[in-house]
Amino acid sequence: LEFINGGYCMNDEANAHYTATIDQMSVGLQFLQKEFGPYAAPRIAWQIDPFGHSSAQAGLSAQMGLEGLFFARMHYQDYERRAQARELEFNWVAEGRNIFAGKFFRQSQYSAPPGFCFDIHCSDPPLVPNSKSPEYNLVERINVLITYLSNQAAAYRSGHIMLTMGEDFNFEDAHMYFKNLDILMKHVNADTANNGFKMIYSTPSRYMDAVLSNIKNLSNKTDDLFPYADGEHSYWTGYFTSRPTLKGYIRSMNSFLQACKHIELMAPATSYTSELLRLAMGVAQHHDAVTGTSKQHVADDYAERLAIGQTQCENLINTGIKHLTGSVNDLYSCRLAANESTCHITGDTTKSIFTFIVYNPRSTAKDIYLRIPMSSSAYRLVNPSDPTAFVSYIPTHYTSYQINPKALPIEAIVHLKVPGMGFTTFQLKKDFGVDYRIVLKSIPVVKTENIRIESESLIVYFDGESGSLKQVVDKKSQKTLRISAKFMNYRSNVGDKLDRQTSGAYIFRPVYGTVAQDIDRPILKNYLPGEFVTEVWQSFGDWVNLVYRVYVNKPYIEVEWTVGPIPMDHGREVILRYSTDLDSGKTFYTDSNGREMLRRVLDYQPTWSLNQTEPVAGNYYPVNSRISIKDMESHFTVLTDRSQGGSSLSSGQVELMLHRRMYKDDFKGVGEPLNETQFGHGLITRGRHWLFYSDLDSYGDHRDIGLDLFYQPVVSVGSDVEVGKIPRSGIQNTNKDLNVVTFERFDETSLIVRLENIRSKSEGGKMISADLKKIFGAYFSENFKELGLAGDRPIEKVVKDLKDHIKYDSGSVIGLKPLQIRTFAFTHSEELLNSFVNYA
């Protein structure tokens, strides 16, 4: 008996962010260590059902101490080649680590061989070994099995093969299953000399050990296993985008959970904990959750679990901050990152003053623009702990009233600085006598003239008639990018003469031979220039809208898109396509779960000769957090606030799929069409892209920008609340290439931290020296130890060459190679751990 995988779920590998994967695996693996001890620690990653596999998942698994990874799904062309070459088992080299990888025999299957399922849910015949019985079938059944095993053995090289017996929901009557297996094994083994096979009960790790003892020269794989296809016209690339609002909610809760865990450690214990949100986030990474491939009522349940956990963490954060600030009155949460422009606190017109405490969950200081829904602009900024803070007001975008008819009419944009893993406070006080807080007004534009917006980093030009983005100048390099952005849609295939395959929750299959069509003509709706941020509003018909934002001190352009309700005249897959004059050819780059950037080439796979049968869907890849194109001098990178499907189908282009709606199922397991609704009409979804253009010398800055997009500020608000003192976390980190991934309580006497070097070597990443004592201050303990990535085993059980692993370490100073994550536990007395409350 052994435990395998060990996570809270079997997570998806396309849409799960690496921090969420680490968290959910840590929940499960630490539970096993606590309940069963170190000898129960899994050695095998069991990823048998996800729909494609990432190199980041392989690398993270190896860093957790898992030695092998087994899976069932692989592109059918790759599978056929590998089966013929006997390379279904290989050495996966990912993030500088090696892990044994094994693909199951038969495409997309992890069940028993055909005809040999002995579960009560199966209709296969039981074995009847009594030759006098009229139902006697033993010889015939064994002959069928031996033929199957011979075919399987021909696809592998070690002399050992794994026979999977079971399926989803099997072994409800284990006795019946094992009784038949005992009969099968007894009679196969009685004739080993003739049939050539010996059957034993085994485990995945014992099987892996047997294979590796016989084979020393496995082939290496350095890329990933996307996209997955199980037929010529069945590319599983639709789920990269399916249920975009759920994907966005899960990503925002990932950042929020980190903040919750931080404050849970900083503030005294209360009746509220992060546990419910941890577990909800754990199950949300499941390969039918964040993927958007569950039935609607199940997706609703995932969202409800997240909302319950979110509420618990909001109470924890507000109670903790109330204690840390010495406030008398209660604090509340406004879900400012939600689609809705509303807040029950700031919408109260009877209140004269609102107090805001802003927490930054990123470990380095952030310059932020906080958007707060308000009932009016008659409030001035007072008592900011950041003396450079500034407020301006802007009208709420008209689409917010479609999402929520009770949306507040005004948004306050507060520009302020927040220290790393620290707090900033300010107040908005009602004052009708101040003139400079007039809401930003639309400026009339002469339609023949361009709109020119200049920031510290960029000069951006928009068309004066349509509001379309036209040109970006990077002031540092003086390079110019011609660019346009279009909303388009693919018509969903409902089956055709080539194949009956339809588009659905899993499958993206546009009508064959067609291209994406424009969604209406773009129209300039508003131009709102401001001192710190300027907005350009644009519409594409009555169900697609765009807002461009240029911030005075940011190196990117923010694009806020709102899509829906999608008309149901036919299935539609909505994209936002950016077209530039970069000479990128057929090459583009996408991230692997927020980690390495992987090179993609149109109609090409690096490990086999691809026969492309779906020219659009077959070139789509998961874009977990960013996608880039480059030429010899510059790059254009789009950073996303959630996982989306994306590609570059022509030189200089980047397209990202934002939303999908169809009325046919794709017959891959959901059993219902992907047709999300709200309030009686189709779902409206809203999200953001950050467009980053620069020369190649600054390309690696997308890492720093990406962390700013991921770590969203957490805001507590109250009316008539006096802040007695400004709390601080005690964390001191000024290196933007160094990220504190984890800062949380580990057990009764320990806290756990993870530190990450965010840049890859190809992006200019270098070795970082990090002084744990200086960074974590009072939280640091001389009695510290390094653990594997999931925190369930000592580092000695994970790395083969410990001397090499720690060669840059000295005392409390550790070394971090490019993209490396290291995990440490700081042990204190329970009394001391409970007293960590620091004030500025």
Side-chain angles (χ1 to χ4, degrees):
L1 177 67
E2 69 173 283
F3 291 109
I4 54 175
N5 215 47
Y8 197 65
C9 73
M10 185 189 298
N11 65 262
D12 174 55
E13 300 189 33
N15 301 285
H17 193 265
Y18 72 97
T19 55
T21 296
I22 292 170
D23 277 351
Q24 78 85 12
M25 288 296 296
S26 297
V27 168
L29 289 170
Q30 289 173 22
F31 171 83
L32 292 178
Q33 197 280 333
K34 180 180 179 181
E35 297 297 324
F36 298 97
Y39 295 106
R43 297 174 58 202
I44 298 297
W46 193 250
Q47 290 291 109
I48 63 172
D49 205 17
F51 330 119
H53 302 277
S54 73
S55 59
Q57 181 78 32
L60 294 173
S61 296
Q63 293 171 66
M64 292 174 190
L66 303 178
E67 302 165 43
L69 188 158
F70 290 94
F71 61 96
R73 302 183 191 273
M74 173 185 278
H75 193 291
Y76 71 98
Q77 293 176 24
D78 193 13
Y79 173 77
E80 291 167 1
R81 183 199 68 82
R82 286 184 174 274
Q84 187 173 10
R86 307 180 80 184
E87 291 184 351
L88 291 173
E89 294 167 334
F90 50 89
N91 178 50
W92 203 336
V93 184
E95 300 195 355
R97 303 298 295 269
N98 297 296
I99 189 168
F100 171 82
K103 164 72 180 76
F104 292 161
F105 187 58
R106 289 193 299 149
Q107 179 64 324
S108 309
Q109 296 292 324
Y110 48 86
S111 55
F116 291 88
C117 177
F118 304 118
D119 194 78
I120 57 174
H121 294 291
C122 299
S123 57
D124 297 341
L127 295 176
V128 181
N130 184 354
S131 60
K132 296 180 180 180
S133 170
E135 297 179 349
Y136 173 69
N137 63 0
L138 183 64
V139 173
E140 181 269 335
R141 290 283 80 203
I142 288 180
N143 286 340
V144 170
L145 180 65
I146 295 301
T147 299
Y148 179 89
L149 295 178
S150 299
N151 292 333
Q152 181 174 349
Y156 296 84
R157 296 167 49 203
S158 71
H160 300 275
I161 56 175
M162 179 188 289
L163 194 62
T164 54
M165 302 300 295
E167 242 287 359
D168 297 352
F169 313 115
N170 275 199
F171 291 96
E172 291 183 19
D173 186 349
H175 174 74
M176 182 173 74
Y177 213 128
F178 279 103
K179 180 180 179 180
N180 280 273
L181 287 178
D182 288 342
I183 295 170
L184 192 67
M185 294 171 66
K186 174 183 176 182
H187 290 276
V188 168
N189 293 342
D191 198 26
T192 297
N194 292 318
N195 62 42
F197 291 96
K198 179 182 179 181
M199 298 180 69
I200 62 170
Y201 286 114
S202 188
T203 66
S205 66
R206 289 181 65 188
Y207 170 76
M208 177 186 68
D209 291 341
V211 171
L212 293 177
S213 68
N214 280 10
I215 298 180
K216 305 299 181 185
N217 59 339
L218 289 169
S219 61
N220 288 333
K221 182 175 182 63
T222 58
D223 59 322
D224 63 3
L225 290 165
F226 287 114
Y228 165 60
D230 61 353
E232 288 186 3
H233 302 286
S234 300
Y235 273 85
W236 297 50
T237 53
Y239 80 96
F240 301 159
T241 297
S242 297
R243 301 196 188 280
T245 300
L246 179 61
K247 282 178 165 65
Y249 188 27
I250 291 171
R251 181 64 56 85
S252 67
M253 284 301 97
N254 190 352
S255 169
F256 186 70
L257 174 60
Q258 308 315 314
C260 183
K261 293 188 293 185
H262 296 175
I263 293 174
E264 187 174 34
L265 179 57
M266 295 176 196
T270 69
S271 59
Y272 306 112
T273 75
S274 64
E275 185 72 5
L276 287 179
L277 187 55
R278 282 182 205 243
L279 299 184
M281 276 296 294
V283 77
Q285 309 315 310
H286 186 272
H287 57 272
D288 276 320
V290 69
T291 53
T293 54
S294 67
K295 290 182 183 294
Q296 183 63 57
H297 72 276
V298 180
D300 293 342
D301 184 66
Y302 289 132
E304 183 179 13
R305 289 170 185 266
L306 288 169
I308 292 170
Q310 180 181 5
T311 300
Q312 183 86 178
C313 267
E314 286 173 344
N315 292 333
L316 183 156
I317 289 169
N318 293 328
T319 303
I321 291 178
K322 177 183 176 181
H323 175 90
L324 293 173
T325 58
S327 301
V328 176
N329 294 341
D330 289 337
L331 296 169
Y332 302 92
S333 294
C334 287
R335 298 178 178 180
L336 304 181
N339 279 349
E340 306 175 4
S341 295
T342 186
C343 175
H344 67 288
I345 302 296
T346 58
D348 187 345
T349 58
T350 66
K351 302 299 182 183
S352 60
I353 189 167
F354 301 111
T355 300
F356 299 85
I357 300 100
V358 184
Y359 177 70
N360 168 23
R362 187 177 174 183
S363 60
T364 54
K366 279 186 65 172
D367 181 284
I368 66 171
Y369 291 84
L370 198 64
R371 303 180 75 92
I372 305 168
M374 300 291 292
S375 58
S376 81
S377 62
Y379 291 83
R380 62 186 174 92
L381 183 71
V382 297
N383 301 322
S385 57
D386 170 22
T388 67
F390 181 86
V391 65
S392 59
Y393 291 87
I394 200 164
T396 295
H397 195 273
Y398 51 84
T399 56
S400 296
Y401 300 104
Q402 294 177 272
I403 298 171
N404 182 0
K406 296 181 180 180
L408 296 177
I410 300 293
E411 286 188 347
I413 304 176
V414 183
H415 175 217
L416 69 163
K417 297 179 176 63
V418 192
M421 291 172 67
F423 302 83
T424 291
T425 66
F426 65 91
Q427 292 177 313
L428 292 177
K429 184 176 182 180
K430 187 175 288 188
D431 182 355
F432 291 103
V434 180
D435 297 329
Y436 66 81
R437 285 168 291 93
I438 297 172
V439 179
L440 295 180
K441 297 293 179 66
S442 178
I443 300 297
V445 176
V446 179
K447 293 186 177 181
T448 57
E449 294 181 358
N450 288 329
I451 298 171
R452 182 183 185 274
I453 304 171
E454 183 169 358
S455 69
E456 293 174 6
S457 304
L458 305 171
I459 303 173
V460 187
Y461 294 91
F462 296 87
D463 182 81
E465 181 175 3
S466 67
S468 295
L469 183 61
K470 291 184 67 174
Q471 186 171 289
V472 180
V473 179
D474 173 37
K475 294 168 70 172
K476 178 181 176 182
S477 67
Q478 290 298 302
K479 296 185 183 302
T480 298
L481 179 74
R482 296 188 182 278
I483 180 172
S484 65
K486 281 186 177 182
F487 279 102
M488 311 175 81
N489 59 207
Y490 293 102
R491 185 165 182 160
S492 304
N493 203 317
V494 294
D496 55 25
K497 294 179 180 179
L498 290 174
D499 199 292
R500 296 177 61 189
Q501 182 63 64
T502 59
S503 252
Y506 297 97
I507 302 296
F508 169 36
R509 190 183 180 217
V511 172
Y512 197 79
T514 62
V515 296
Q517 301 296 314
D518 290 357
I519 297 177
D520 222 316
R521 181 174 62 89
I523 297 174
L524 175 64
K525 302 292 286 188
N526 227 342
Y527 166 47
L528 302 164
E531 184 177 352
F532 286 92
V533 59
T534 295
E535 297 194 359
V536 176
W537 295 6
Q538 194 181 28
S539 71
F540 294 73
D542 58 2
W543 58 277
V544 176
N545 288 271
L546 205 61
V547 176
Y548 294 101
R549 297 189 180 103
V550 180
Y551 297 95
V552 68
N553 61 340
K554 299 296 183 183
Y556 55 81
I557 302 167
E558 181 171 283
V559 176
E560 183 178 87
W561 45 266
T562 305
V563 178
I566 298 177
M568 273 299 277
D569 47 349
H570 54 77
R572 295 175 187 256
E573 332 238 1
V574 180
I575 66 167
L576 180 51
R577 178 179 289 170
Y578 302 98
S579 299
T580 76
D581 60 354
L582 282 186
D583 185 16
S584 59
K586 294 184 175 183
T587 301
F588 59 105
Y589 302 83
T590 64
D591 68 302
S592 182
N593 304 106
R595 297 279 287 163
E596 287 184 294
M597 296 295 287
L598 300 183
R599 180 174 180 263
R600 312 295 193 184
V601 180
L602 206 63
D603 299 325
Y604 172 79
Q605 284 288 339
T607 57
W608 84 92
S609 180
L610 174 67
N611 174 27
Q612 185 60 272
T613 52
E614 282 288 335
V616 178
N619 283 300
Y620 257 60
Y621 289 87
V623 178
N624 197 278
S625 65
R626 68 209 73 190
I627 180 172
S628 296
I629 54 174
K630 306 175 186 178
D631 62 14
M632 298 300 292
E633 297 180 339
S634 306
H635 78 95
F636 172 66
T637 299
V638 183
L639 296 102
T640 66
D641 67 348
R642 70 201 68 193
S643 290
Q644 296 175 326
S647 188
S648 175
L649 299 178
S650 295
S651 181
Q653 284 187 358
V654 168
E655 69 177 59
L656 288 155
M657 187 177 291
L658 310 180
H659 199 1
R660 316 176 70 222
R661 190 183 187 193
M662 51 224 37
Y663 59 88
K664 292 280 188 179
D665 181 39
D666 57 15
F667 310 109
K668 295 298 183 181
V670 179
E672 64 185 33
L674 182 64
N675 179 19
E676 294 186 278
T677 59
Q678 62 176 26
F679 312 126
H681 55 72
L683 178 72
I684 301 173
T685 186
R686 176 182 287 169
R688 290 181 295 166
H689 292 160
W690 285 4
L691 313 184
F692 175 43
Y693 167 66
S694 74
D695 61 13
L696 291 181
D697 290 342
S698 300
Y699 172 62
D701 291 351
H702 73 81
R703 295 288 180 182
D704 175 39
I705 295 169
L707 287 184
D708 273 353
L709 181 55
F710 174 74
Y711 288 109
Q712 291 299 301
V714 174
V715 182
S716 292
V717 58
S719 57
D720 301 317
V721 172
E722 291 299 326
V723 177
K725 44 190 172 289
I726 302 168
R728 63 181 177 87
S729 68
I731 306 302
Q732 301 294 324
N733 176 28
T734 59
N735 187 345
K736 289 198 170 186
D737 287 346
L738 177 66
N739 181 40
V740 177
V741 179
T742 302
F743 179 68
E744 64 184 70
R745 193 170 192 127
F746 189 39
D747 55 30
E748 290 78 7
T749 59
S750 302
L751 62 125
I752 191 169
V753 300
R754 292 186 181 93
L755 295 96
E756 169 191 30
N757 184 341
I758 67 172
R759 291 190 189 234
S760 69
K761 192 172 182 180
S762 64
E763 297 163 350
K766 298 177 181 179
M767 173 68 68
I768 290 177
S769 291
D771 190 330
L772 301 178
K773 189 172 185 178
K774 288 184 177 179
I775 293 171
F776 294 102
Y779 295 104
F780 174 76
S781 168
E782 298 291 346
N783 183 21
F784 75 95
K785 59 183 177 181
E786 185 171 6
L787 304 172
L789 183 60
D792 70 316
R793 64 195 76 183
I795 194 64
E796 294 84 356
K797 297 291 186 180
V798 176
V799 299
K800 293 181 179 180
D801 189 344
L802 184 62
K803 186 177 180 181
D804 179 73
H805 180 76
I806 63 173
K807 68 180 180 181
Y808 297 104
D809 299 354
S810 178
S812 65
V813 178
I814 63 154
L816 285 163
K817 300 173 184 175
L819 274 188
Q820 186 178 18
I821 304 175
R822 295 180 68 179
T823 305
F824 298 90
F826 301 156
T827 301
H828 300 274
S829 68
E830 186 172 357
E831 293 75 19
L832 183 60
L833 192 61
N834 288 332
S835 68
F836 284 146
V837 181
N838 297 297
Y839 302 104

